Amino acid sequence: MRRRALALLVALLGGFLVSGVVLAGPAAAHAELESTNPEDGARLSSAPAQVTLHFSEGVSLGAGYARVLDARQQRVDTGAPKVSGDVVTIPLRDTLPEGGYLVTYRVISADSHPVAGAFSFAVGNGPLITAGAGDVSQATDAGVAVALPVARWLGFAGLALAVGIPVLLMVCWPGGWTSVRLRRLSEGGAIAAALGALGSFAVQGPYAAGAGLGSVFDTALLDTTASTTYGVVLMIRTLLALYLVAALAPAWRRGEPPTSWMLPASGVAALGLVVTTAAVGHPVAGPWPGLELPIAVVHVAAMTVWLGGLTGLVVGVLRPGIPADDLAVAMPRFSRMAFGAVVALVVTGIVQAVREVGTPAALVSTEYGWLLVTKLLIVAVILAAAGVSRVWVQQHLGVHHRPAGSRRVTAHAFAAEPSDPVAEDVDDAVVERRRAQAGDAVAALPRLRRSVVVELLLAVVVLGVTSVLVGTPPAASAVVQPVDTTLPLKGTSGTSGSVQVSIEPASTGPNVLHVYLFDDAGQLTQPAGITVTIAEPSQQLGPIDVKLQPAGPGHYSADAMDIPAAGTWTLQISVRKDEFTAYTASTTFPVR
């Protein structure tokens, strides 16, 4: 049995490492700008009535912004921008004069993280202006960048203590309800969970707006956060944490497990804390939230039961002077419960890795991938320490199994009566043997305590890594992705034909560009002239001319198109069909 259990854990962890990155498809988290109208670099004969931005997933403005500036840095948009799913619409003033205009935005993606950028267009013969003229920095204030993971870590750790310790006492050690230490830890954990939620709530406003920690008490930012789904979830989590303290208070005072009316109340609060912890960030931003959210809930619940239980063991059970009977009751039960929690953690981790990582290369080429690898290595060490603890329990507390092939035989006609002295002697011998075994286990307790303390300390580190991980763009969305898109060719008289563009690998350094031109019938067509430029407005890079070489009818290529820096680049194509007719097309693409 021991070998089968170890083999199962190894197989699951192997699945986490292998299938989670080999079988994955692209993830959808952290919104990206897909298209705009007007397009970046467009030159219009007349002023548009509005500007629209289309993102890869639903977004909100929250404490962010979407605005249009002229060359003097004066706003020319009017009224509040409108958000409908993944489309942001910015209304403009009537009859804008000729000139260049800069669109800047900072929106909040479905996983609560901000996405910022800029692009420009011109009306008439006005000059294009660069994104450097506006405040479009995507960087997060240093203080906010530290406060966010700290608040998350406090929430995770508090949840483990507030929920995990009562679960340990309910399932494994009913006598522990008399422990003052465990009560203080559990109630302190609930308060920490509430403070972590409030901290995340306060910092979300400056994070979304691109402001510093000095803005955490800005009432406008607080009101804006409170109006978002993310803010509502955090407030519910705070109230549930405080409610859990009140629901369990009578049980702690009496030193007994919760009664029939307290158990449902505390159970609802505990489940609500787990759900509201899981219902933020990446799980709610993907294409299958109905599937991903339950998986995240199981993952968080398993973490809570395991880590909270470990803390309860170290503080309450694995201490000098523990009665042998308490040790004999608590440890075998926790060993089984912890094994189930670890299996749930690894299985749900496989599914999350499938969604978030994407490809094996993403593990070593993205920040998210390296954080995940670090987490996995620490978890592997924790599992080794947990294996040592499990073996100790099996050796010292009598977890026995019948030999293979043996059968249990029940005698019906001649079974001993309960009052049979022989049966009573056997029962007494069994009880005495178990007591002696438990007494020996108490003497060998320091070894078990050391392995459990190692598990617990490493688990604290894992929580820290996870706190950073949940705020990092998923590897699948951060890894280099080749560009392959077809764009309509637009001119003053309307749309005519299309252009297919492919860029590989879409990373810094040399890239291969292919351009195919098609007429309205979808046939390759030869233009009178064609030019291609690339630019990164937010870094004031470009426009950079791309040298094209003919590669066939209607086909042009550039074998060494150099992209000097990572960012969101704009590729602009100008096609001259004859001496008097010209068309343009443009697209943005991320460079990692």
Side-chain angles (χ1 to χ4, degrees):
M1 178 65 184
R2 219 179 284 169
R3 292 179 179 177
R4 286 199 296 268
L6 181 59
L8 176 60
L9 275 178
V10 171
L12 289 172
L13 185 59
F16 190 19
L17 288 166
V18 178
S19 66
V21 296
V22 173
L23 304 177
H30 279 50
E32 293 183 355
L33 183 65
E34 290 190 333
S35 63
T36 65
N37 186 18
E39 297 175 343
D40 185 21
R43 185 171 296 279
L44 310 177
S45 58
S46 60
Q50 62 186 24
V51 173
T52 59
L53 299 85
H54 186 276
F55 292 88
S56 58
E57 66 177 41
V59 297
S60 62
L61 281 179
Y65 54 82
R67 57 201 180 200
V68 182
L69 309 174
D70 62 17
R72 297 176 299 168
Q73 296 297 292
Q74 300 299 309
R75 296 185 63 168
V76 296
D77 52 289
T78 179
K82 299 177 182 178
V83 180
S84 177
D86 55 5
V87 176
V88 177
T89 303
I90 311 173
L92 300 178
R93 296 176 186 173
D94 295 333
T95 62
L96 293 182
E98 286 193 358
Y101 296 93
L102 180 68
V103 182
T104 67
Y105 61 89
R106 187 179 179 93
V107 299
I108 314 303
S109 60
D111 57 6
S112 77
H113 303 298
V115 178
F119 65 94
S120 63
F121 65 92
V123 176
N125 295 319
L128 289 169
I129 56 179
T130 65
D135 181 13
V136 294
S137 174
Q138 297 196 49
T140 300
D141 176 79
V144 172
V146 172
L148 278 170
V150 169
R152 294 188 196 112
W153 182 90
L154 188 63
F156 292 154
L159 174 67
L161 297 176
V163 177
I165 289 177
V167 170
L168 171 72
L169 302 186
M170 288 292 299
V171 177
C172 306
W173 188 35
W177 288 100
T178 60
S179 173
V180 176
R181 290 181 178 180
L182 293 184
R183 176 180 182 176
R184 290 173 179 170
L185 269 179
S186 180
E187 293 180 343
I191 294 173
L195 291 176
L198 289 175
S200 297
F201 184 95
V203 177
Q204 178 63 20
Y207 180 47
L213 275 180
S215 302
V216 293
F217 299 113
D218 186 317
T219 55
L221 293 181
L222 293 174
D223 287 344
T224 301
T225 302
S227 66
T228 64
T229 302
Y230 180 74
V232 171
V233 170
L234 292 176
M235 292 307 298
I236 293 175
R237 190 192 305 170
T238 302
L239 296 176
L240 287 171
L242 299 178
Y243 177 69
L244 181 62
V245 173
L248 290 177
W252 288 114
R253 283 197 301 268
R254 294 198 330 267
E256 298 176 356
T259 58
S260 56
W261 73 266
M262 287 186 291
L263 188 57
S266 56
V268 168
L271 179 60
L273 276 174
V274 170
V275 171
T276 53
T277 300
V280 294
H282 300 155
V284 297
W288 312 304
L291 173 64
E292 292 157 0
L293 182 56
I295 290 171
V297 168
V298 173
H299 196 76
V300 172
M303 176 277 295
T304 299
V305 169
W306 185 25
L307 301 191
L310 285 176
T311 306
L313 287 183
V314 171
V315 175
V317 179
L318 305 181
R319 57 181 174 81
I322 181 73
D325 289 345
D326 285 1
L327 188 67
V329 169
M331 289 309 303
R333 292 179 181 179
F334 177 76
S335 181
R336 291 189 291 269
M337 184 177 74
F339 182 78
V342 169
V343 170
L345 272 171
V346 176
V347 170
T348 52
I350 291 174
V351 179
Q352 290 178 324
V354 166
R355 176 178 176 268
E356 304 291 359
V357 175
T359 62
L363 279 176
V364 294
S365 61
T366 64
E367 181 184 359
Y368 188 98
W370 279 115
L371 286 170
L372 182 59
V373 168
T374 301
K375 180 179 177 179
L376 289 176
L377 292 176
I378 301 173
V379 167
V381 178
I382 293 176
L383 291 180
V388 172
S389 302
R390 185 171 175 83
V391 169
W392 187 99
V393 172
Q394 292 172 333
Q395 290 177 344
H396 292 84
L397 293 175
V399 180
H400 296 298
H401 304 279
R402 294 188 304 276
S406 66
R407 296 184 299 134
R408 177 173 297 183
V409 179
T410 303
H412 297 282
F414 304 101
E417 296 294 330
S419 58
D420 187 349
V422 175
E424 293 179 357
D425 289 344
V426 171
D427 290 341
D428 291 342
V430 170
V431 171
E432 188 61 32
R433 182 177 63 83
R434 288 178 178 173
R435 286 179 178 172
Q437 197 173 41
D440 294 340
V442 171
L445 203 58
R447 177 187 171 193
L448 176 62
R449 182 179 175 85
R450 284 194 295 270
S451 66
V452 174
V453 167
V454 169
E455 287 184 66
L456 186 58
L457 292 177
L458 290 176
V460 171
V461 178
V462 168
L463 287 185
V465 175
T466 303
S467 300
V468 177
L469 195 65
V470 298
T472 304
S477 63
V479 75
V480 172
Q481 297 285 352
V483 176
D484 190 356
T485 185
T486 299
L487 308 168
L489 287 169
K490 298 179 180 179
T492 55
S493 59
T495 300
S496 177
S498 61
V499 56
Q500 180 181 341
V501 178
S502 68
I503 304 172
E504 193 173 355
S507 63
T508 56
N511 288 260
V512 176
L513 169 69
H514 288 277
V515 178
Y516 299 87
L517 298 174
F518 298 93
D519 58 21
D520 290 330
Q523 301 298 314
L524 287 168
T525 182
Q526 193 69 24
I530 180 172
T531 60
V532 173
T533 62
I534 57 173
E536 215 295 354
S538 66
Q539 302 180 54
Q540 302 185 52
L541 297 175
I544 301 171
D545 291 326
V546 178
K547 295 182 179 180
L548 297 176
Q549 298 293 331
H555 178 199
Y556 295 85
S557 66
D559 293 334
M561 181 179 71
D562 186 65
I563 301 179
T568 300
W569 285 77
T570 298
L571 182 138
Q572 178 83 24
I573 302 172
S574 297
V575 177
R576 187 164 50 84
K577 292 195 172 183
D578 54 45
E579 186 177 354
F580 305 102
T581 309
Y583 294 87
T584 62
S586 69
T587 185
T588 60
F589 61 97
V591 174
R592 311 298 184 190

